[in-house]
Amino acid sequence: MRARPFRRLAAPLTFAALAALCAPAQADTYQTVKVAAGKMLFDATCHRCHSVEADKKSYGPLLDGVVGRRAGTFEGYPYSDALKGAGFVWTPGALKAWMEANDEFVPGTKMRHVGITDPTVQEFIVAYLESLLAK
Ligand code: HEC
């Protein structure tokens, strides 16, 4: 009889404990999925102009390390005057605005309009670009 209250609580407690144990793992998994999806989207929409490997020349500037970098400052890249003089730092928010309408965000840029308006796609690509910093 005395075990009863415990038994009634056992299932919810076990569930709560398992949920607590799994929460960090789930967050990690979600992050991994976001980065993997972001890489696929990046490869499909950005990679033909942008490299993420320092030793590869590409039409656009290297994007490894772009998060937190001042706009228009990757050494040796011939930026447009517009981006060279922009003066801001690439935050996730700035990257999203750029993907959405780069020619409005920095009028006079020479990057062709890509027009990625889906916030999820923007977020995944940013997650991928952020993950490059961790290497
Ligand atoms: C058709 C080629 C092309 C495509 C596609 C392209 N870019 Fe660009 N990108 C460029 C060029 C060229 C520049 C340099 C712009 C300038 O100097 O005004 C640039 C600049 C940038 C910059 C500024 C980097 C810096 O050092 O300040 C970012 C960020 C960027 N692109 C992100 C992206 C992302 C993300 C995608 C995919 C969603 C993408 N680009 C797709 C050609 C492209």
Side-chain angles (χ1 to χ4, degrees):
M1 268 297 155
R2 288 187 61 188
R4 247 199 177 163
F6 174 74
R7 227 189 267 157
R8 233 189 298 142
L9 279 173
L13 276 177
T14 309
F15 181 77
L18 280 175
L21 278 173
C22 291
Q26 269 174 9
D28 279 359
T29 308
Y30 181 53
Q31 191 56 27
T32 308
V33 168
K34 264 167 72 171
V35 169
K39 182 182 177 352
M40 286 169 75
L41 293 160
F42 180 88
D43 286 351
T45 50
C46 322
H47 203 207
R48 68 195 158 99
C49 295
H50 288 283
S51 171
V52 290
E53 288 154 47
D55 54 350
K56 276 209 187 123
K57 277 249 170 245
S58 53
Y59 171 58
L62 179 82
L63 290 186
D64 185 0
V66 74
V67 186
R69 191 166 81 199
R70 192 161 289 277
T73 60
F74 179 66
E75 231 183 289
Y77 182 80
Y79 289 98
S80 63
D81 288 343
L83 202 58
K84 221 186 296 170
F88 63 85
V89 168
W90 286 116
T91 57
L95 285 163
K96 289 175 188 172
W98 174 262
M99 278 186 248
E100 187 145 339
N102 54 292
D103 42 353
E104 280 171 34
F105 190 63
V106 179
T109 176
K110 66 176 180 179
M111 178 169 136
R112 232 174 50 202
H113 179 88
V114 281
I116 294 175
T117 52
D118 185 329
T120 309
V121 174
Q122 292 174 359
E123 195 178 328
F124 286 5
I125 292 179
V126 168
Y128 170 62
L129 291 174
E130 280 177 322
S131 79
L132 297 172
L133 298 170
K135 276 198 295 192

